Amino acid sequence: MDFDDTPEEAAFRAKARAWLEENAPLPGSPEAWAGIEGSPSDDGEFAVFLDRCREWQRTLKSSGWACLTWPVEFGGQGLTPAESLIWNQEVANFGVTLGPLIPSLGFVGPTIIAHGTGEQKARHIPPIVSGDAIWCQLFSEPGAGSDLANLATRAVPDGDSWVVSGQKVWNSFAHVADWGILIARTDPERPKHRGITYFLVDMRSPGVTVRPIRQISGAAKFNEVFLDEVRIPAGNVVGEANEGWKVVHTTLRYERSTISGIRDRRLTERLAETAGRRGSAGDPNVRQEIARTYVREQLVRYLTLRLQSAIRRGVAPGPEASVLKLAVGEHLMASAQAGLAISGPGSVAGGDAPVGGDDWKDLLLWQYEVRFGGGTEEIQRNTIGEVVLGLPAEPRVDKDLPYSQVRTI
Ligand SMILES: Cc1cc2nc3c(=O)[nH]c(=O)nc-3n(C[C@H](O)[C@H](O)[C@H](O)COP(=O)(O)OP(=O)(O)OC[C@H]3O[C@@H](n4cnc5c(N)ncnc54)[C@H](O)[C@@H]3O)c2cc1C
C-alpha cells in the first residue's frame, strides 16, 4: 500500500493548501464558524451561521473549488475521488464548514445527478451548487432507523400526483429546508425493501409540518416532520415507482462518505494548547492523555490513508469505511473527555461561552452525531463482523415477507 501522494496529488494538495491559507480562517479564530455547528441555539445565531456557510459555498464556486467530483456540466470540477479526499483532508485544518448545505452538496445533488430526470437535474442542481437551495433528508421514522426499509409513511397515487401521509424524525435542517428527499411505501404487498418510492418534496407544500427537536447542546438542528395528505406531483418521483430502494442505496453511499470525511481536527495540538493554558503541561497524567490522543490521531490518519489508497486504485470503499467511522467516533469521544478533564470543572460550568477558548464541552455533545449519523456504531460492527470476519449474518426473518404481513410497532 502506497501512503505517499503521487507527484500530481502532492501538487494538488499544495495548491489546495495555499488557496485555503489565503481564503479560510483557522479553527478557533474569531472568523471561524466550524466547530460552532453544535451550538447555534437560537434562530438569530443560526441565521448568521447559515449565512456564513452560504457565503463559503459562493466563494468555493467562484474560485473553482465547489463540487469537486461532480461533472463540469453540472457545475462541478470533474476531479477524481482521490483529489476530493485530499481537499477534505486539507479543509479539515480550517475553521470552515458547509453546515446546512452538507445534505444537498454531499448526497442530494449526487443522487439527482445519478438517478434524476433531465428536468429534475435542470431545476434542482443549479440552486444546490450556488448554495441557494437547502435540502433535508426525510428517511428515518419512529419505527424505521437502522432498519430503514421498515418505514410506514404511505404514498397513494391520485391522478398525476401522489398523496403522502406519515411521520419522519431526526431530519437535520428540515426547519430551514426548501426541499426534501422523501421515501414512502407505495406497495405494502411487496417485501419491505421493494414497494418503496423515492420523491422530491417541496417543504412548503400544504400538509407539511416541521417541529424542531431541542438537543442537549441547546441547538435545534433536528426535527420531526409530519406529512398530512401532502400532494407530490408524479414528476417528482426519482427513478421508478416502487424501485426507490436502489436510489436510497446511492444516497446512503454518498452520505457515508460525507460523514467519514470528518477528520481529526488537530485534537492533539488543541489538547496541548489547553494544557499549556491551564498550566498542566508538565503533569505526567496530562502528558499521558495527550500521548494517547496522538496515537489515536495517527490511527485515524493511517485508516484514512488506507481508504485513500483504495479510492486511488478505483476500488469502492468497503468495510474499511466502517472501521474508519468507528475509529473517528472513538477518537472524538476520548479526546473530548480528555479535554474536559484537562480544562477542569469550569469547562462544563461555563454556560454558552467556551471557557478560555476551549470548546471541549461542545465537542463532547457533538461527537454523538458522528457516532449515530450514517449508521450507528453497532451497525458498523455488524458490517465488520459479516464482511471482514465472516461471522453469520444477522437473522432477517422478514426479508421476503410482504410488508403488510410484517409486525411493526
Ligand atoms: C447527526 C445525525 C443526523 C441525522 N440526520 C438525519 C436526517 O437528516 N434524516 C433522517 O432521515 N435521519 C437522520 N438521522 C437519523 C439516523 O439515520 C438514525 O438515528 C439512525 O439510522 C439510527 O436509527 P434510530 O435512531 O431509529 O435508532 P435504532 O435503529 O432504533 O437503534 C437503536 C439502538 O439499537 C441499535 N441497533 C439497531 N439495530 C441493530 C442491530 N441489527 N444490531 C445491533 N444493534 C442494533 C442501534 O445501534 C442503536 O444503538 C440522523 C441521525 C444523526 C445522529
Side-chain angles (χ1 to χ4, degrees):
M1 195 181 323
D2 185 6
F3 283 154
D4 293 329
D5 286 342
T6 61
E8 295 75 32
E9 286 170 353
F12 178 78
R13 188 184 295 281
K15 188 174 145 200
R17 190 174 296 171
W19 186 84
L20 285 162
E21 277 166 358
E22 190 91 346
N23 293 282
L26 285 172
S29 66
E31 298 78 31
W33 67 99
I36 61 163
E37 62 260 44
S39 17
S41 54
D42 65 49
D43 292 350
E45 235 182 303
F46 192 86
V48 172
F49 175 67
L50 178 56
D51 277 352
R52 293 175 101 168
C53 297
R54 278 197 157 127
E55 191 53 44
W56 178 236
Q57 176 62 12
R58 281 186 207 116
T59 306
L60 292 174
K61 185 170 176 259
S62 61
S63 313
W65 290 103
C67 307
L68 295 188
T69 54
W70 295 21
V72 176
E73 60 174 308
F74 295 117
Q77 314 302 324
L79 298 181
T80 64
E83 285 166 320
S84 169
L85 201 73
I86 290 171
W87 167 263
N88 288 339
Q89 287 166 349
E90 292 303 317
V91 84
N93 294 320
F94 293 84
V96 297
T97 176
L98 288 165
L101 304 182
I102 290 173
S104 51
L105 294 161
F107 49 88
V108 175
T111 304
I112 295 177
I113 290 173
H115 299 278
T117 61
E119 204 175 305
Q120 287 166 352
K121 290 176 199 172
R123 178 169 183 194
H124 293 298
I125 296 298
I128 288 180
V129 178
S130 64
D132 289 322
I134 298 181
W135 285 71
C136 66
Q137 183 194 53
L138 304 170
F139 283 10
S140 304
E141 298 185 4
S146 302
D147 186 6
L148 185 57
N150 204 35
L151 60 93
T153 292
R154 288 289 313 273
V156 181
D158 183 29
D160 58 358
S161 334
W162 294 79
V163 178
V164 184
S165 293
Q167 187 200 337
K168 299 288 174 178
V169 73
W170 309 127
N171 312 111
S172 309
F173 309 122
H175 59 303
V176 287
D178 305 294
W179 284 85
I181 45 172
L182 167 85
I183 48 175
R185 187 158 310 280
T186 39
D187 187 349
E189 297 316 316
R190 299 192 193 197
K192 64 179 182 174
H193 290 87
R194 322 269 304 277
I196 289 174
T197 301
Y198 195 117
F199 297 94
L200 307 178
V201 57
D202 182 340
M203 292 299 284
R204 294 187 184 89
S205 308
V208 176
T209 306
V210 180
R211 194 189 291 166
I213 300 172
R214 182 74 52 193
Q215 293 160 243
I216 192 172
S217 61
K221 294 187 302 179
F222 288 129
N223 301 273
E224 291 177 292
V225 174
F226 298 89
L227 304 142
D228 184 12
E229 301 199 352
V230 176
R231 204 161 263 281
I232 302 182
N236 288 12
V237 169
V238 183
E240 299 289 313
N242 293 320
E243 298 291 341
W245 196 248
K246 291 181 193 153
V247 190
V248 168
H249 265 294
T250 302
T251 304
L252 296 183
R253 188 160 47 82
Y254 279 104
E255 183 182 9
R256 266 195 292 272
S257 59
T258 305
I259 290 173
S260 64
I262 294 162
R263 300 276 159 251
D264 53 25
R265 298 176 167 232
R266 309 191 326 176
L267 292 174
T268 307
E269 213 174 292
R270 285 165 58 197
L271 267 189
E273 281 165 17
T274 299
R277 255 197 310 274
R278 300 279 144 180
S280 57
D283 180 324
N285 291 324
V286 169
R287 294 170 78 89
Q288 284 287 337
E289 259 331 318
I290 296 173
R292 273 190 214 109
T293 306
Y294 178 76
V295 171
R296 284 194 310 270
E297 209 158 82
Q298 294 312 305
L299 183 72
V300 168
R301 180 165 165 259
Y302 283 110
L303 288 169
T304 307
L305 287 169
R306 190 173 191 168
L307 198 69
Q308 183 179 351
S309 174
I311 289 171
R312 196 190 284 155
R313 283 181 279 115
V315 179
E320 54 270 68
S322 296
V323 176
L324 175 61
K325 187 169 185 289
L326 282 175
V328 169
E330 165 88 1
H331 176 47
L332 292 175
M333 180 185 66
S335 306
Q337 286 171 340
L340 283 174
I342 295 169
S343 304
S347 58
V348 278
D352 287 335
V355 181
D358 303 333
D359 52 6
W360 300 108
K361 177 184 57 132
D362 280 349
L363 180 64
L364 185 74
L365 298 177
W366 174 75
Q367 48 91 31
Y368 289 108
E369 295 190 14
V370 177
R371 294 170 58 205
F372 269 78
T376 65
E377 295 192 341
E378 286 80 7
I379 297 301
Q380 307 303 331
R381 289 196 172 92
N382 282 349
T383 304
I384 294 166
E386 288 176 29
V387 181
V388 182
L389 305 176
L391 296 173
E394 283 271 290
R396 295 181 179 101
V397 288
D398 57 1
K399 189 167 161 272
D400 299 317
L401 284 180
Y403 174 79
S404 59
Q405 291 174 30
V406 174
R407 224 177 124 209
T408 52
I409 57 164

